[in-house]
Amino acid sequence: SALIAVLLTSAIILPALPDTFWNRMSTIQTYEEQQDTSALGRFHFWAVAVEMAKAKPLWGVGFNGYTQSYDAYDFSQGEYGRKRAVHSSFFGILSELGFVGAVLYVIIITSALRSCGRIRKFTTQEETLSDIGKSAIAIETSFVAFLVGGSFVPWQYCEMFWHFIGLTFVLEQLVAKHKAEILPGKLVEISAKTALSKAQ
């Protein structure tokens, strides 16, 4: 499953990370005491994104408009600089496309993940579709990585992410086509077995 893939990947990558990475991570629990501007800044940028969404709940401040609109909604009076980035895909969508866009964004991601799950479940019973099943698992794992990384990086318009969304629906259509092709044969087989049982 996707969870197992993520755990295996983490088990391989995490031990290889340098000491500088772990030193940086150790500041997470003490960011308030140390006044880590990176962590505190992100909380502030997300709060500004919420203010933008509140001000323009339907459509937000516009595509890629967070940075250009930041100064107008920055309630810290420039404490974290000017024209800053949102540092989150989800808050980026919320601020730039409003609550409507945020809901659609969640629906798209949820639908893609559910598609991968359905494909994975069906292909375990169909050996001829094993490659499609493996592709679905790979894409599902990529979505998990995106959900984690995208929480802290504005990747909402990354082309590769949207390509993966499209690939997910293509895989589901391939599975649907396969079902449509094998269904008549299965119906004939069931009818033949029914007729044979009645004859006996």
Side-chain angles (χ1 to χ4, degrees), residues 73-168:
Y73 293 89
D74 177 22
F75 51 84
S76 74
Q77 299 177 343
E79 180 179 351
Y80 298 95
R82 301 293 182 184
K83 294 186 180 297
R84 297 306 304 268
V86 65
H87 291 284
S88 170
S89 299
F90 305 103
F91 284 101
I93 285 289
L94 177 64
S95 62
E96 295 176 352
L97 302 183
F99 290 101
V100 173
V103 170
L104 291 175
Y105 189 64
V106 171
I107 290 174
I108 290 171
I109 294 176
T110 303
S111 298
L113 286 170
R114 290 184 64 187
S115 293
C116 289
R118 286 193 296 266
I119 294 167
R120 177 164 40 80
K121 183 177 180 180
F122 179 77
T123 53
T124 55
Q125 305 169 353
E126 296 286 336
E127 293 183 1
T128 57
L129 299 179
S130 61
D131 288 341
I132 291 179
K134 292 175 182 177
S135 298
I137 292 173
I139 292 175
E140 189 176 22
T141 304
S142 299
F143 283 146
V144 172
F146 173 83
L147 291 174
V148 175
S151 298
F152 305 97
V153 181
W155 285 342
Q156 65 268 27
Y157 305 126
C158 175
E159 290 184 6
M160 186 58 68
F161 166 69
W162 292 103
H163 287 328
F164 277 22
I165 292 289
L167 287 172
T168 300

Side-chain angles (χ1 to χ4, degrees), residues 36-78:
D36 187 329
T37 56
S38 177
L40 292 175
R42 277 177 169 78
F43 291 139
H44 175 70
F45 303 147
W46 299 346
V48 171
V50 173
E51 291 302 316
M52 291 180 184
K54 288 180 179 179
K56 297 184 178 181
L58 291 180
W59 316 118
V61 296
F63 175 78
N64 258 339
Y66 180 92
T67 299
Q68 297 301 319
S69 304
Y70 175 80
D71 293 349
Y73 293 89
D74 177 22
F75 51 84
S76 74
Q77 299 177 343

Side-chain angles (χ1 to χ4, degrees), residues 154-200:
W155 285 342
Q156 65 268 27
Y157 305 126
C158 175
E159 290 184 6
M160 186 58 68
F161 166 69
W162 292 103
H163 287 328
F164 277 22
I165 292 289
L167 287 172
T168 300
F169 299 135
V170 169
L171 292 178
E172 189 165 34
Q173 287 301 310
L174 290 175
V175 171
K177 181 180 178 181
H178 177 79
K179 288 180 179 179
E181 291 174 350
I182 66 173
L183 183 59
K186 287 188 174 182
L187 290 176
V188 171
E189 183 180 348
I190 293 172
S191 298
K193 288 181 178 180
T194 303
L196 181 61
S197 63
K198 288 181 177 180
Q200 292 176 345

